[in-house]
Structures are given as structure tokens and as C-alpha cells.
Amino acid sequence: MPTSVLQARTRVWRPHWPCPVGTVLSPLRHGGGDPTFRRAADGAYWRGIRTPDGTATLRVLPDPAEATVTGQAWGSGAEWALEQLPRMLGADDDPTGFEPLHRPIADAWRRHRHWRIGASGLVMESLVPAIIEQKVTGQEAFAAFRALVHRFGERAPGPPSGADPSIRLWVQPSAVELRAIPSWEWLRLPVDGARSRPIQHAARVAPALERAGGETPAEFDRRLRTLPGIGVWTSAEVRARALGDPDAVSFGDYHIPANIGFVLTGEPVDDAGLAVLLEPYAGHRHRVQRLVELAGLSRPRHGPRMAPRTHLPG
């Protein structure tokens, strides 16, 4: 169906708390140039999504004065996207029992008390960029993700004629399309074999992974990490975004243990030290990790930033 005649479906949702839409959705954006995510001048957030029912364009417009969020969606996946909207914006997240034990966390929680952990409900959507982000700088990863989407993805359905012309969304490649990408095309993105192979392994079992997203976070973690090349960091990144797991900690990250350690104790720590520090927050450890990020807290940077590689590993 031509995009000009696509009919929008609409849902007006009234959250039971003042939902900070942009803050909740921001983890689903992979870099400022993410072709599947846009923020428009009118304050609306746009996403290109591959749902279980097909592709969709989703527009999310918060109205703080009316305490509502209006979702509009186009495409065969429109109904699914609108049904998922409250969960995507954190309606299923329950911070009950979270007690900040450190002053910086208490201060961050007070400033971001309405923030909740959203869940996209889409495993492959979070897994593919997470694998691309393994062991490289954000600059490299975001550029490779953009190239993957532009080269092998597809245009999102809509928006209708008359919409902001800058809203030209894309949708990530399907599992079938990912499986068909040859090795030399991955290298051109550039994504080396240590990352492209896990993506293609995951693409071969994508339906099973999406079903596993309905299991508990612990069971999902167990199943996901049976795939070669997918470890604790990647699993945590996916659980946080797709499942809304409040306890997902990104162990193995280049910065997170040092930053959280410095914020909580004044000294950077390694993964083992981070596990000890966060043990009292069990059940809400991702909440601590994300609050540190939202507050812009980190250790001082004395050395040079991690430089992009000039060649691909063998």
C-alpha cells in the first residue's frame, strides 16, 4: 500500500504517573543519527519498528498539561505497537522496594523519581545493535549500525504526506535478511566476524529468542547466552531494553564499573568490585546503573579517550 494512503491508528493513554517519555525511550536510540529513531520539533518521538505482525512507524507525543500520551502508528504492525505502548514507556516497571543507600543515588532518584524502565518487547531489535556495540567505541558502533540499517533494512511505513519531511524512518533488517548478508558485506559496514557471526547465529533462531523474551529474565539470560559470542554484557543490554529487567547489570563494560565505583566510593572498581557494591541493591541493580547515567555522573577522565580502530581484527 502506498505510504500516502496508509491510515493511522491512534491510542490516547493516560499514565498513572507523570511519565517522562523521552527519558524512558532514550535507551532505544543508538546514537544521534539512529535511522530508526527521531525526535521531531513538536516534541514527538518517532520509531521505526519491526513487530511480530509486520513493520510499523510509531509516533509518541506526550502532553504533560493533559497528563496523556498519544500514540499514532502506521503499517501492518500498528496495532501491536500501540498495544505495547504502555509497557514500552515503563508501565510494567515497579520500583517498590528500591531504597537508595548512597547519597548520589538518592539525589539522582529524587531528580528522576518519575523515570521508569521501559520494555520494547522486541529481542532482535535490541540484540543486533548490542552485538555491534561489543568491544568497540560508541562512535564505531553507531556508524556501523546506521550503515547496516541503510544498506539492508527498509523504509518504515509512513508517515503520511504532510508530516515533517525530516521524519524518514527506517526499520532494522529482518532475521531472514540478516542471515543472507555475506561476510564481505559485514566487513564493509564495518562489522568484523567476531560480531557478525553471533548476529547470524541469533538470526537463525530469532523466533525462539523472541519467544524466550516472554520468560523470566534469568531464564532468558540462560537461553540467550547459549549462543556463541553472546556474553553477560550483551545479555544485560538486551534484558534491560527488551524485557525491562530492573536487575540487568552491564558487567564487562569499559566504563560502567569504574564510573559506578567512583560515584559510590570515590574509587573506580572492576566487575568483581561492582558486584559487591551493587549486592545490596539486588533486584534493582540496573536501576542504579541507569540513575548514574541519567545524573551524568562518572569518574574524572585523566587519560585520552579510547580511539577508534584503524583496522579490523583478523
Side-chain angles (χ1 to χ4, degrees), residues 4-42:
S4 60
V5 299
L6 281 176
Q7 297 298 309
R9 296 185 180 273
T10 302
R11 175 179 185 176
V12 178
W13 176 54
R14 188 178 298 274
H16 61 79
W17 82 103
C19 177
V21 169
T23 305
V24 177
L25 288 179
S26 61
L28 301 179
R29 186 178 195 176
H30 300 279
D34 184 344
T36 71
F37 193 115
R38 293 282 188 271
R39 184 182 183 186
D42 63 358

Side-chain angles (χ1 to χ4, degrees), residues 117-180:
I117 302 170
S120 71
L122 298 169
V123 171
M124 289 297 291
E125 177 186 89
S126 291
L127 179 57
V128 171
I131 294 174
I132 290 175
E133 291 165 18
Q134 290 178 168
K135 301 185 184 303
V136 296
T137 66
Q139 176 186 349
E140 290 176 281
F142 298 153
F145 178 70
R146 287 195 303 271
L148 172 70
V149 174
H150 283 144
R151 192 171 299 171
F152 299 105
E154 62 186 276
R155 285 290 191 183
S161 59
D164 184 343
S166 69
I167 307 301
R168 294 289 292 159
L169 294 171
W170 291 74
V171 178
Q172 288 191 42
S174 68
V176 172
E177 291 160 339
L178 289 169
R179 293 198 302 268

Side-chain angles (χ1 to χ4, degrees), residues 59-308:
R59 177 180 183 263
V60 183
L61 180 65
D63 186 343
E66 295 294 328
T68 61
V69 177
T70 299
Q72 287 183 294
W74 295 261
S76 55
E79 288 189 12
W80 188 96
L82 292 177
E83 182 178 350
Q84 180 71 18
L85 182 63
R87 186 177 181 224
M88 191 185 300
L89 293 177
D92 289 357
D93 181 36
D94 183 4
T96 301
F98 175 61
E99 296 291 341
L101 304 176
H102 299 82
R103 179 63 178 272
I105 303 303
D107 290 344
W109 184 230
R110 185 165 52 252
R111 291 195 299 273
H112 299 280
R113 65 189 183 278
H114 299 310
W115 163 72
R116 296 293 182 267
I117 302 170
S120 71
L122 298 169
V123 171
M124 289 297 291
E125 177 186 89
S126 291
L127 179 57
V128 171
I131 294 174
I132 290 175
E133 291 165 18
Q134 290 178 168
K135 301 185 184 303
V136 296
T137 66
Q139 176 186 349
E140 290 176 281
F142 298 153
F145 178 70
R146 287 195 303 271
L148 172 70
V149 174
H150 283 144
R151 192 171 299 171
F152 299 105
E154 62 186 276
R155 285 290 191 183
S161 59
D164 184 343
S166 69
I167 307 301
R168 294 289 292 159
L169 294 171
W170 291 74
V171 178
Q172 288 191 42
S174 68
V176 172
E177 291 160 339
L178 289 169
R179 293 198 302 268
I181 300 174
S183 59
W184 59 87
E185 291 285 0
W186 286 104
L187 291 172
R188 289 178 60 194
L189 293 175
V191 174
D192 58 274
R195 291 175 293 153
S196 64
R197 285 189 294 272
I199 290 174
Q200 292 189 305
H201 283 308
R204 283 193 282 271
V205 294
L209 289 177
E210 299 292 353
R211 289 194 299 271
E215 302 289 344
T216 65
E219 176 60 17
F220 176 79
D221 174 64
R222 184 190 69 78
R223 294 190 188 186
L224 181 61
R225 289 207 280 149
T226 62
L227 296 178
I230 297 179
V232 61
W233 182 88
T234 303
S235 173
E237 293 289 303
V238 176
R239 295 197 321 273
R241 291 170 172 80
L243 278 63
D245 181 2
D247 203 43
V249 184
S250 299
F251 291 114
D253 190 271
Y254 186 76
H255 298 293
I256 287 173
N259 288 341
I260 296 178
F262 184 86
V263 169
L264 300 189
T265 70
E267 296 290 338
V269 298
D270 57 12
D271 278 351
L274 180 62
V276 172
L277 280 177
L278 293 184
E279 196 280 331
Y281 291 103
H284 296 278
R285 295 179 299 171
H286 178 72
R287 211 176 300 279
V288 174
Q289 175 182 318
R290 184 70 179 131
L291 283 170
V292 168
E293 296 167 353
L294 289 175
L297 303 173
S298 66
R299 73 193 188 285
R301 303 290 179 84
H302 299 299
R305 290 179 178 271
M306 183 179 177

